[in-house]
Amino acid sequence: MEKEKKILYSGMQATGKLTIGNYIGALKNWVNLHEDYDCFFGVMDLHSLTVRQNPAEFRKNARLIYTQYVAAGLDPEKNCIYFQSHVPAHAELGWILNCFTYMGELNRMTQFKDKSAKHADNINAGLYTYPTLMAADILLYQSDLVPIGADQKQHLEICRDIAERFNNIYGDVFTIPEGFFPKTGARIMSLQEPDKKMSKSDENENATIYLIDDRDAIIRKFKRAVTDSEAVIKYDPANKPGISNLIEIYSVVTGKSFEDVEKEFAGKGYGDFKMAVGETVADMLDPFHKRCDELLADKTYIDHCMKENAEKAAYFANKTLRKVQKKVGLTERIR
Ligand code: TRP
């Protein structure tokens, strides 16, 4: 069957507070793509279990992230926005793919090494097989394109390797996905350690602008952003990572080029510039906050979206899962 539009798949873990890095680097790009592709966006709650969670907080946060997807402009009528755990096919295909993945491959994953170092008291098997579940996420939907950050490249590579291995044995079962790295959307760096990526799990609250931060918090954090002592607003990431990060943020939010930003603030102090960046980001988030509040107040609407979209996702996922089960020789269930 000829597919009309290409299929695009992405998602985020269901834990942590989303940041402006997630907003600019992922969500807003997804919104730009959602007309041109058939899109699936998952809230990856099974992946979140690889780290111990407080159940009540986890549940609340996962729902907030779902709501933020919608508030950012992803359309639950046109795209499929759903919770990973609501579609059991993910876990089922994940198991099968485990049996087609070598420990040697998983041992090479840098994220596994990093996370094992960070959670030395809980190096569980889920953390180890994280990439096979992610491969299942992507392959279940016959995805063509997967927008991801650079830190997920290795996981996409292993997904492609597993898919190719499977196809070599059983014929063309899976579409081999490509990574998709949108041009805009920059890498937003920490406001406190600007040579590190802004992260939703940073312990220093001042390092990160969260999507739930109000105007005062946003401006306060930008005012405290680490810069340098040169007092020149110039894009030079190697020598002036702090200022360059602020220029980058201001540039993506306003659509102005780096040169135009430099011109606009020539001769001005860092204080003025930080204030301007803070105001601009707060202005950008104003309508998003309003939409989020509306959606949070309308429980039935979000419930409805969750239900419909999980059914839609399951329909596509199950098609692939059935095919895989048949190929590997599992006995067909009598219905
Ligand atoms: N591992 C991804 C991250 O931490 C989240 C994720 C899980 C994902 N499954 C996916 C992203 C499938 C893209 C496609 O960012």
PDB file of all heavy atoms in Angstrom, residues 9-13 44 47 84 111 115 130 133-135 137-138 146-149 151-152 155, ligand 1:
ATOM      1  N   TYR A   9       7.738  10.165  13.894  1.00  0.00           N
ATOM      2  CA  TYR A   9       7.543   9.702  15.268  1.00  0.00           C
ATOM      3  C   TYR A   9       8.511  10.394  16.212  1.00  0.00           C
ATOM      4  O   TYR A   9       9.714  10.456  15.933  1.00  0.00           O
ATOM      5  CB  TYR A   9       7.792   8.177  15.358  1.00  0.00           C
ATOM      6  CG  TYR A   9       7.304   7.640  16.677  1.00  0.00           C
ATOM      7  CD1 TYR A   9       6.032   7.097  16.786  1.00  0.00           C
ATOM      8  CD2 TYR A   9       8.091   7.752  17.829  1.00  0.00           C
ATOM      9  CE1 TYR A   9       5.553   6.669  18.008  1.00  0.00           C
ATOM     10  CE2 TYR A   9       7.615   7.329  19.056  1.00  0.00           C
ATOM     11  CZ  TYR A   9       6.354   6.783  19.136  1.00  0.00           C
ATOM     12  OH  TYR A   9       5.875   6.368  20.348  1.00  0.00           O
ATOM     13  N   SER A  10       8.002  10.909  17.321  1.00  0.00           N
ATOM     14  CA  SER A  10       8.921  11.379  18.361  1.00  0.00           C
ATOM     15  C   SER A  10       8.243  11.345  19.720  1.00  0.00           C
ATOM     16  O   SER A  10       7.046  11.059  19.817  1.00  0.00           O
ATOM     17  CB  SER A  10       9.458  12.775  18.054  1.00  0.00           C
ATOM     18  OG  SER A  10      10.668  12.975  18.757  1.00  0.00           O
ATOM     19  N   GLY A  11       9.010  11.612  20.723  1.00  0.00           N
ATOM     20  CA  GLY A  11       8.445  11.599  22.068  1.00  0.00           C
ATOM     21  C   GLY A  11       9.453  12.083  23.084  1.00  0.00           C
ATOM     22  O   GLY A  11      10.624  12.292  22.765  1.00  0.00           O
ATOM     23  N   MET A  12       8.944  12.283  24.277  1.00  0.00           N
ATOM     24  CA  MET A  12       9.823  12.676  25.390  1.00  0.00           C
ATOM     25  C   MET A  12       9.482  11.801  26.577  1.00  0.00           C
ATOM     26  O   MET A  12       8.348  11.323  26.698  1.00  0.00           O
ATOM     27  CB  MET A  12       9.539  14.116  25.815  1.00  0.00           C
ATOM     28  CG  MET A  12       9.895  15.152  24.808  1.00  0.00           C
ATOM     29  SD  MET A  12       9.514  16.769  25.501  1.00  0.00           S
ATOM     30  CE  MET A  12       9.466  17.721  23.999  1.00  0.00           C
ATOM     31  N   GLN A  13      10.430  11.652  27.451  1.00  0.00           N
ATOM     32  CA  GLN A  13      10.119  10.933  28.682  1.00  0.00           C
ATOM     33  C   GLN A  13       9.082  11.711  29.486  1.00  0.00           C
ATOM     34  O   GLN A  13       8.981  12.933  29.377  1.00  0.00           O
ATOM     35  CB  GLN A  13      11.384  10.757  29.499  1.00  0.00           C
ATOM     36  CG  GLN A  13      12.227   9.649  28.928  1.00  0.00           C
ATOM     37  CD  GLN A  13      13.188   9.127  29.959  1.00  0.00           C
ATOM     38  OE1 GLN A  13      12.805   8.825  31.092  1.00  0.00           O
ATOM     39  NE2 GLN A  13      14.440   9.029  29.587  1.00  0.00           N
ATOM     40  N   MET A  44       6.494   9.221  26.921  1.00  0.00           N
ATOM     41  CA  MET A  44       7.172   7.932  27.124  1.00  0.00           C
ATOM     42  C   MET A  44       7.269   7.570  28.599  1.00  0.00           C
ATOM     43  O   MET A  44       8.312   7.716  29.229  1.00  0.00           O
ATOM     44  CB  MET A  44       8.562   8.009  26.497  1.00  0.00           C
ATOM     45  CG  MET A  44       8.522   8.330  25.038  1.00  0.00           C
ATOM     46  SD  MET A  44       7.390   7.219  24.205  1.00  0.00           S
ATOM     47  CE  MET A  44       7.668   7.664  22.522  1.00  0.00           C
ATOM     48  N   HIS A  47       9.486   4.349  29.651  1.00  0.00           N
ATOM     49  CA  HIS A  47      10.914   4.671  29.756  1.00  0.00           C
ATOM     50  C   HIS A  47      11.238   5.357  31.086  1.00  0.00           C
ATOM     51  O   HIS A  47      12.321   5.185  31.634  1.00  0.00           O
ATOM     52  CB  HIS A  47      11.348   5.570  28.597  1.00  0.00           C
ATOM     53  CG  HIS A  47      11.684   4.809  27.353  1.00  0.00           C
ATOM     54  ND1 HIS A  47      10.976   4.926  26.181  1.00  0.00           N
ATOM     55  CD2 HIS A  47      12.650   3.898  27.103  1.00  0.00           C
ATOM     56  CE1 HIS A  47      11.503   4.128  25.264  1.00  0.00           C
ATOM     57  NE2 HIS A  47      12.518   3.488  25.797  1.00  0.00           N
ATOM     58  N   GLN A  84       2.648   6.149  25.972  1.00  0.00           N
ATOM     59  CA  GLN A  84       3.290   4.882  25.591  1.00  0.00           C
ATOM     60  C   GLN A  84       2.651   3.693  26.314  1.00  0.00           C
ATOM     61  O   GLN A  84       2.368   2.665  25.708  1.00  0.00           O
ATOM     62  CB  GLN A  84       4.773   5.005  25.936  1.00  0.00           C
ATOM     63  CG  GLN A  84       5.669   3.867  25.532  1.00  0.00           C
ATOM     64  CD  GLN A  84       7.057   4.074  26.122  1.00  0.00           C
ATOM     65  OE1 GLN A  84       7.208   4.638  27.214  1.00  0.00           O
ATOM     66  NE2 GLN A  84       8.079   3.639  25.405  1.00  0.00           N
ATOM     67  N   GLN A 111      24.438   6.502  26.816  1.00  0.00           N
ATOM     68  CA  GLN A 111      23.440   6.920  27.806  1.00  0.00           C
ATOM     69  C   GLN A 111      23.341   5.915  28.945  1.00  0.00           C
ATOM     70  O   GLN A 111      23.167   6.280  30.104  1.00  0.00           O
ATOM     71  CB  GLN A 111      22.072   7.120  27.153  1.00  0.00           C
ATOM     72  CG  GLN A 111      21.047   7.656  28.124  1.00  0.00           C
ATOM     73  CD  GLN A 111      19.756   8.110  27.446  1.00  0.00           C
ATOM     74  OE1 GLN A 111      19.732   9.013  26.628  1.00  0.00           O
ATOM     75  NE2 GLN A 111      18.670   7.452  27.786  1.00  0.00           N
ATOM     76  N   LYS A 115      23.922   6.974  32.706  1.00  0.00           N
ATOM     77  CA  LYS A 115      22.863   6.803  33.703  1.00  0.00           C
ATOM     78  C   LYS A 115      23.259   5.814  34.780  1.00  0.00           C
ATOM     79  O   LYS A 115      22.840   5.938  35.929  1.00  0.00           O
ATOM     80  CB  LYS A 115      21.548   6.388  33.034  1.00  0.00           C
ATOM     81  CG  LYS A 115      20.913   7.515  32.252  1.00  0.00           C
ATOM     82  CD  LYS A 115      19.434   7.286  32.012  1.00  0.00           C
ATOM     83  CE  LYS A 115      18.833   8.462  31.253  1.00  0.00           C
ATOM     84  NZ  LYS A 115      17.484   8.190  30.776  1.00  0.00           N
ATOM     85  N   TYR A 130      16.672  -0.055  27.582  1.00  0.00           N
ATOM     86  CA  TYR A 130      16.006   1.196  27.169  1.00  0.00           C
ATOM     87  C   TYR A 130      15.978   1.331  25.635  1.00  0.00           C
ATOM     88  O   TYR A 130      14.940   1.632  25.043  1.00  0.00           O
ATOM     89  CB  TYR A 130      16.758   2.362  27.827  1.00  0.00           C
ATOM     90  CG  TYR A 130      16.199   3.743  27.633  1.00  0.00           C
ATOM     91  CD1 TYR A 130      15.647   4.444  28.703  1.00  0.00           C
ATOM     92  CD2 TYR A 130      16.255   4.390  26.397  1.00  0.00           C
ATOM     93  CE1 TYR A 130      15.158   5.736  28.538  1.00  0.00           C
ATOM     94  CE2 TYR A 130      15.767   5.663  26.223  1.00  0.00           C
ATOM     95  CZ  TYR A 130      15.223   6.342  27.300  1.00  0.00           C
ATOM     96  OH  TYR A 130      14.742   7.615  27.129  1.00  0.00           O
ATOM     97  N   LEU A 133      13.307  -0.816  23.731  1.00  0.00           N
ATOM     98  CA  LEU A 133      11.937  -0.292  23.853  1.00  0.00           C
ATOM     99  C   LEU A 133      11.774   0.926  22.944  1.00  0.00           C
ATOM    100  O   LEU A 133      10.754   1.085  22.267  1.00  0.00           O
ATOM    101  CB  LEU A 133      11.624   0.070  25.313  1.00  0.00           C
ATOM    102  CG  LEU A 133      10.225   0.638  25.564  1.00  0.00           C
ATOM    103  CD1 LEU A 133       9.133  -0.342  25.166  1.00  0.00           C
ATOM    104  CD2 LEU A 133      10.046   1.022  27.046  1.00  0.00           C
ATOM    105  N   MET A 134      12.793   1.744  22.892  1.00  0.00           N
ATOM    106  CA  MET A 134      12.725   2.921  22.008  1.00  0.00           C
ATOM    107  C   MET A 134      12.644   2.473  20.552  1.00  0.00           C
ATOM    108  O   MET A 134      11.915   3.073  19.750  1.00  0.00           O
ATOM    109  CB  MET A 134      13.936   3.821  22.256  1.00  0.00           C
ATOM    110  CG  MET A 134      13.952   5.049  21.382  1.00  0.00           C
ATOM    111  SD  MET A 134      15.031   6.335  22.066  1.00  0.00           S
ATOM    112  CE  MET A 134      15.295   7.338  20.602  1.00  0.00           C
ATOM    113  N   ALA A 135      13.360   1.419  20.220  1.00  0.00           N
ATOM    114  CA  ALA A 135      13.285   0.895  18.850  1.00  0.00           C
ATOM    115  C   ALA A 135      11.862   0.425  18.566  1.00  0.00           C
ATOM    116  O   ALA A 135      11.312   0.672  17.485  1.00  0.00           O
ATOM    117  CB  ALA A 135      14.287  -0.241  18.670  1.00  0.00           C
ATOM    118  N   ASP A 137       9.114   1.564  19.907  1.00  0.00           N
ATOM    119  CA  ASP A 137       8.282   2.767  19.742  1.00  0.00           C
ATOM    120  C   ASP A 137       8.275   3.185  18.275  1.00  0.00           C
ATOM    121  O   ASP A 137       7.234   3.466  17.681  1.00  0.00           O
ATOM    122  CB  ASP A 137       8.857   3.971  20.529  1.00  0.00           C
ATOM    123  CG  ASP A 137       8.971   3.726  22.019  1.00  0.00           C
ATOM    124  OD1 ASP A 137       8.244   2.866  22.535  1.00  0.00           O
ATOM    125  OD2 ASP A 137       9.810   4.411  22.669  1.00  0.00           O
ATOM    126  N   ILE A 138       9.469   3.282  17.744  1.00  0.00           N
ATOM    127  CA  ILE A 138       9.645   3.838  16.401  1.00  0.00           C
ATOM    128  C   ILE A 138       9.164   2.860  15.332  1.00  0.00           C
ATOM    129  O   ILE A 138       8.447   3.231  14.405  1.00  0.00           O
ATOM    130  CB  ILE A 138      11.141   4.180  16.185  1.00  0.00           C
ATOM    131  CG1 ILE A 138      11.570   5.283  17.168  1.00  0.00           C
ATOM    132  CG2 ILE A 138      11.409   4.582  14.739  1.00  0.00           C
ATOM    133  CD1 ILE A 138      13.074   5.494  17.260  1.00  0.00           C
ATOM    134  N   VAL A 146      12.408  10.515  12.418  1.00  0.00           N
ATOM    135  CA  VAL A 146      12.387  10.610  13.871  1.00  0.00           C
ATOM    136  C   VAL A 146      13.161  11.861  14.295  1.00  0.00           C
ATOM    137  O   VAL A 146      14.393  11.852  14.322  1.00  0.00           O
ATOM    138  CB  VAL A 146      13.026   9.351  14.516  1.00  0.00           C
ATOM    139  CG1 VAL A 146      12.876   9.392  16.025  1.00  0.00           C
ATOM    140  CG2 VAL A 146      12.418   8.083  13.957  1.00  0.00           C
ATOM    141  N   PRO A 147      12.454  12.952  14.603  1.00  0.00           N
ATOM    142  CA  PRO A 147      13.173  14.129  15.098  1.00  0.00           C
ATOM    143  C   PRO A 147      13.694  13.867  16.513  1.00  0.00           C
ATOM    144  O   PRO A 147      12.925  13.506  17.390  1.00  0.00           O
ATOM    145  CB  PRO A 147      12.103  15.239  15.128  1.00  0.00           C
ATOM    146  CG  PRO A 147      10.845  14.641  14.624  1.00  0.00           C
ATOM    147  CD  PRO A 147      11.000  13.165  14.548  1.00  0.00           C
ATOM    148  N   ILE A 148      14.987  14.023  16.658  1.00  0.00           N
ATOM    149  CA  ILE A 148      15.599  13.762  17.971  1.00  0.00           C
ATOM    150  C   ILE A 148      16.762  14.721  18.181  1.00  0.00           C
ATOM    151  O   ILE A 148      17.293  15.275  17.230  1.00  0.00           O
ATOM    152  CB  ILE A 148      16.173  12.327  18.086  1.00  0.00           C
ATOM    153  CG1 ILE A 148      16.811  11.898  16.764  1.00  0.00           C
ATOM    154  CG2 ILE A 148      15.149  11.343  18.588  1.00  0.00           C
ATOM    155  CD1 ILE A 148      17.670  10.679  16.883  1.00  0.00           C
ATOM    156  N   GLY A 149      17.157  14.853  19.416  1.00  0.00           N
ATOM    157  CA  GLY A 149      18.343  15.620  19.743  1.00  0.00           C
ATOM    158  C   GLY A 149      19.588  14.761  19.509  1.00  0.00           C
ATOM    159  O   GLY A 149      19.504  13.535  19.376  1.00  0.00           O
ATOM    160  N   ASP A 151      21.757  13.779  21.435  1.00  0.00           N
ATOM    161  CA  ASP A 151      22.008  12.780  22.473  1.00  0.00           C
ATOM    162  C   ASP A 151      21.264  11.463  22.205  1.00  0.00           C
ATOM    163  O   ASP A 151      21.540  10.464  22.867  1.00  0.00           O
ATOM    164  CB  ASP A 151      21.620  13.338  23.854  1.00  0.00           C
ATOM    165  CG  ASP A 151      20.143  13.710  23.934  1.00  0.00           C
ATOM    166  OD1 ASP A 151      19.566  14.125  22.909  1.00  0.00           O
ATOM    167  OD2 ASP A 151      19.566  13.575  25.024  1.00  0.00           O
ATOM    168  N   GLN A 152      20.329  11.480  21.259  1.00  0.00           N
ATOM    169  CA  GLN A 152      19.563  10.259  20.973  1.00  0.00           C
ATOM    170  C   GLN A 152      19.989   9.583  19.670  1.00  0.00           C
ATOM    171  O   GLN A 152      19.404   8.583  19.262  1.00  0.00           O
ATOM    172  CB  GLN A 152      18.060  10.583  20.926  1.00  0.00           C
ATOM    173  CG  GLN A 152      17.497  11.060  22.251  1.00  0.00           C
ATOM    174  CD  GLN A 152      17.612   9.987  23.324  1.00  0.00           C
ATOM    175  OE1 GLN A 152      17.304   8.821  23.107  1.00  0.00           O
ATOM    176  NE2 GLN A 152      18.095  10.378  24.501  1.00  0.00           N
ATOM    177  N   HIS A 155      20.843   5.933  19.919  1.00  0.00           N
ATOM    178  CA  HIS A 155      19.662   5.082  20.070  1.00  0.00           C
ATOM    179  C   HIS A 155      18.956   4.863  18.733  1.00  0.00           C
ATOM    180  O   HIS A 155      18.382   3.803  18.492  1.00  0.00           O
ATOM    181  CB  HIS A 155      18.688   5.702  21.083  1.00  0.00           C
ATOM    182  CG  HIS A 155      19.176   5.589  22.500  1.00  0.00           C
ATOM    183  ND1 HIS A 155      18.666   6.345  23.525  1.00  0.00           N
ATOM    184  CD2 HIS A 155      20.119   4.800  23.053  1.00  0.00           C
ATOM    185  CE1 HIS A 155      19.286   6.023  24.652  1.00  0.00           C
ATOM    186  NE2 HIS A 155      20.173   5.097  24.388  1.00  0.00           N
TER     187      HIS A 155
HETATM  188  N1  TRP B   1      14.817   8.524  24.604  1.00  0.00           N
HETATM  189  C1  TRP B   1      14.143   9.724  24.199  1.00  0.00           C
HETATM  190  C2  TRP B   1      14.676  10.886  25.033  1.00  0.00           C
HETATM  191  O1  TRP B   1      15.063  10.702  26.166  1.00  0.00           O
HETATM  192  C3  TRP B   1      12.650   9.618  24.397  1.00  0.00           C
HETATM  193  C4  TRP B   1      12.082   8.593  23.492  1.00  0.00           C
HETATM  194  C5  TRP B   1      11.599   7.362  23.836  1.00  0.00           C
HETATM  195  C6  TRP B   1      11.939   8.719  22.086  1.00  0.00           C
HETATM  196  N2  TRP B   1      11.164   6.715  22.749  1.00  0.00           N
HETATM  197  C7  TRP B   1      11.338   7.490  21.659  1.00  0.00           C
HETATM  198  C8  TRP B   1      12.235   9.721  21.162  1.00  0.00           C
HETATM  199  C9  TRP B   1      11.071   7.270  20.308  1.00  0.00           C
HETATM  200  C10 TRP B   1      11.966   9.495  19.819  1.00  0.00           C
HETATM  201  C11 TRP B   1      11.391   8.280  19.394  1.00  0.00           C
HETATM  202  O2  TRP B   1      14.673  11.993  24.553  1.00  0.00           O
END
